[in-house]
Amino acid sequence: MPALQPASVPASTLPHLVAVGFRRINKMLQELAPDFAGRASVDVLDVGFEQAVSRIREMQANQTLRPIDVVVSAGSNGAYLRQHLDMPVVLVKVGGFDVMQALAVARRVSAKVGLVTYEGMAPDLAPFAELLDMGLVQRTYRTEEDAQACVLALKDMGVQAVVGPGLVADMADQHGLTGVFLYSADAVREALEDAVEVARASRIELAKRERLNTILAHLSDGVIAVDQQERIQTLNPAMAQWLGISASDWLGRKLSEVCPELSLQGTLRLGLQELEKIERVKGKALIANRMPIVEQGVLTGAVLSCQDPISIQRVDRHIRTRIKPNAPGTRYELSQFLGESPAVSHIRQVAQRCAQSQATVLLIGESGTGKELIAQGIHMASDRCDMPFVAVNCAAMSETLLESELFGYEEGAFTGARKGGKIGLFEAAHNGTLFLDEVGEMPVSLQTRLLRVLQEREVLRVGATEPTPVNVRVIAATHRDLKEQVDRGLFRLDLYYRLNILRVDVPPLRERPQDIAPIARALQRKLCLRLGLDVRATSGLIEALLKQAQGYDWPGNVRELENLIERVTAYAGSLREAQAVDARQAKAFLEAVVPELFAQHAAHREEPGPWPVSASVARHVAPAGPPLRQAQRQAERAEIMRVLAACGGDRALASQQLGISRTTLWRKLKEGA
């Protein structure tokens, strides 16, 4: 069975070599070229110097011919080609064995031998000349005229044999001397081998460069790369478009000359990077990053990358919008904080001023007074109104859950962590407002992290090592006396001062009784609209409720008022002509539906009228808890707070001293809040 022949490589894919040389070396190149038929395409030119340069340039310009990868030549001819061609030129190198072999051949002809080399002599040949009992005279040349002068001088000295490159050997023959060719077939073969490797490496480098250029062409960032002399080597389409130029017009030119605003001279001089500097070029603002290019410890150039600030803002907003949690948006404005009292007017004025500032706001007031409504109103009146408003109740979550919700976490930060991680509420509220409700209930350990975010304006996700910058306006609210919490060790003093910059005190409903009626009527209209009822159907009962509520403390404030009106409105829907009931009937109905308004007058309560109040209505009146149980809970909470204060707010240590779990401690604290 015949052996399999290797598949032939298409000639169009082989490296293209051009070998240049006169006479003797040309003959060697012609003889050796077929040996490289399967590895390279070799063209041999019998010209030199200016003619060789012109011929090679013609071949490069000819679109029907393949581009030339490498040129091979020797001696002064090769040196000339290196100076005048912008492509790799491999020189035929003379080894020590080649020199000795050529001198040995010349010694057979004459006892006195001349050695003529291009640009440099061989200083270590004296021992070899003594060994061959040969008088050796060395000369060197740079030009053809120099070579001619060297040969004539050697002839005058009685030299009969001259060793040198083809040019020198031919001149020696012309003047009646014996010319010995310096280059061996092995040296020429080695030069061709080197040329093939150079071509292969050049093609690999070219492929990498083309790949890099393809990548740069698809980047939205503008990129310019320069060499050590600041000459532009690469300029991608995005940068060319921003600058309004053609990339080919700037290649090879100094960047500081064509665009001084983007100069990289400082980077090349100091070797230091310069990041995120705003530059204005041709009326356009760009974010410029300058970085040195260091290869194997040597500074070889620099690169400039530019970004469009508008595009960055657009992408940033898109990303944060896509990944923010499904938090309810804002529903209220400051005008919806109802009331006619001077206190309410003052609050609206102060809140409006807060909206014009970027400082942190602290809302202090009892539960149900409308602190979140004010927070949303401040957000809607600020220049952040088109950005997210994110609210979180710090008292509604455990410490671990609250930490991950506020600051987010990285993938694998803890068992059960979501794949890809999760952004926190601070990041979700970027460029907007974060409302921290019941901030006085936040654990001391999280207070430290909150303080850092407020100070540094950057958030570190759980399990992350790099912080994320955030631009968030914080509005905090609490019903606690934070100064007292500080004194008891339950709230950090530095965080208190960081939050208490712009302060809004929201008075309870009992301190502004003139606001009860307008708020109640507004709530009545809203609830009737939601339930599909005629406002007039409940007007009589609402007026009776307002009359009965005179002197009531409203411990639940506006939230309690809204709950009672909703209860009356819901039950009044089954009554006939509720707006026409008399005072006695209305009172009887309200006693059954909203008994809390009558608790303070229980001793003088009249007998209920003949209202058909169902058992389902009566069940809405919650019986008061046993006084003994309430006293026990108060004593238990007092002991918990004492131990917690002694432990400096450390819940883990407090739960150990109390002999209960942290979950139980957290639940008991919430029950007593």
Side-chain angles (χ1 to χ4, degrees), residues 625-635:
L628 178 59
R629 184 179 301 171
Q630 184 176 0
Q632 289 175 342
R633 285 199 298 267
Q634 292 176 350

Side-chain angles (χ1 to χ4, degrees), residues 4-51:
L4 294 176
Q5 297 296 326
S8 59
V9 180
S12 58
T13 63
L14 295 176
H16 185 193
L17 309 183
V18 173
V20 179
F22 295 110
R23 303 178 184 88
R24 306 190 188 202
I25 196 168
N26 184 274
K27 183 179 179 182
M28 282 188 178
L29 290 170
Q30 294 281 7
E31 293 174 351
L32 293 173
D35 295 346
F36 292 85
R39 300 165 54 194
S41 174
V42 183
D43 291 331
V44 182
L45 304 182
D46 190 12
V47 291
F49 301 100
E50 296 90 344
Q51 291 180 342

Side-chain angles (χ1 to χ4, degrees), residues 46-119:
D46 190 12
V47 291
F49 301 100
E50 296 90 344
Q51 291 180 342
V53 170
S54 299
R55 182 75 177 277
I56 291 172
R57 286 177 177 172
E58 289 175 3
M59 294 174 67
Q60 281 288 75
N62 192 338
Q63 298 294 329
T64 62
L65 299 178
R66 290 189 296 112
I68 299 173
D69 293 301
V70 184
V71 174
V72 180
S73 189
S76 57
N77 198 7
Y80 183 89
L81 295 178
R82 272 190 172 179
Q83 293 177 359
H84 294 83
L85 293 176
D86 56 352
M87 64 182 64
V89 177
V90 174
L91 297 180
V92 179
K93 298 177 182 179
V94 179
F97 181 77
D98 294 332
V99 174
M100 290 187 291
Q101 190 176 27
L103 290 176
V105 172
R107 176 64 181 83
R108 298 193 196 104
V109 176
S110 172
K112 197 170 187 179
V113 177
L115 174 63
V116 181
T117 55
Y118 177 74
E119 286 192 334

Side-chain angles (χ1 to χ4, degrees), residues 103 107 111 123-137:
L103 290 176
R107 176 64 181 83
D124 300 328
L125 292 178
F128 182 73
E130 293 178 2
L131 180 64
L132 294 178
D133 189 21
M134 172 179 61
L136 180 63
V137 181

Side-chain angles (χ1 to χ4, degrees), residues 161-200:
V162 178
V163 177
L167 177 67
V168 174
D170 290 342
M171 288 181 177
D173 288 342
Q174 292 171 4
H175 290 284
L177 306 178
T178 301
V180 179
F181 191 40
L182 182 60
Y183 299 108
S184 67
D186 290 338
V188 176
R189 183 186 298 276
E190 185 177 354
L192 291 172
E193 294 280 359
D194 291 343
V196 172
E197 286 302 310
V198 169
R200 188 181 66 84

Side-chain angles (χ1 to χ4, degrees), residues 637-663:
R637 178 170 176 80
E639 176 63 13
I640 289 175
M641 299 307 295
R642 184 191 67 78
V643 174
L644 193 59
C647 296
D650 189 334
R651 295 191 179 188
L653 182 59
S655 61
Q656 292 179 1
Q657 294 191 10
L658 291 168
I660 58 177
S661 66
R662 292 182 64 183
T663 304

Side-chain angles (χ1 to χ4, degrees), residues 480-488 493 496-497:
R480 300 281 188 186
D481 184 344
L482 292 186
K483 200 67 176 68
E484 180 185 351
Q485 294 284 90
V486 170
D487 296 338
R488 296 170 59 188
L493 180 62
Y496 170 70
Y497 286 125

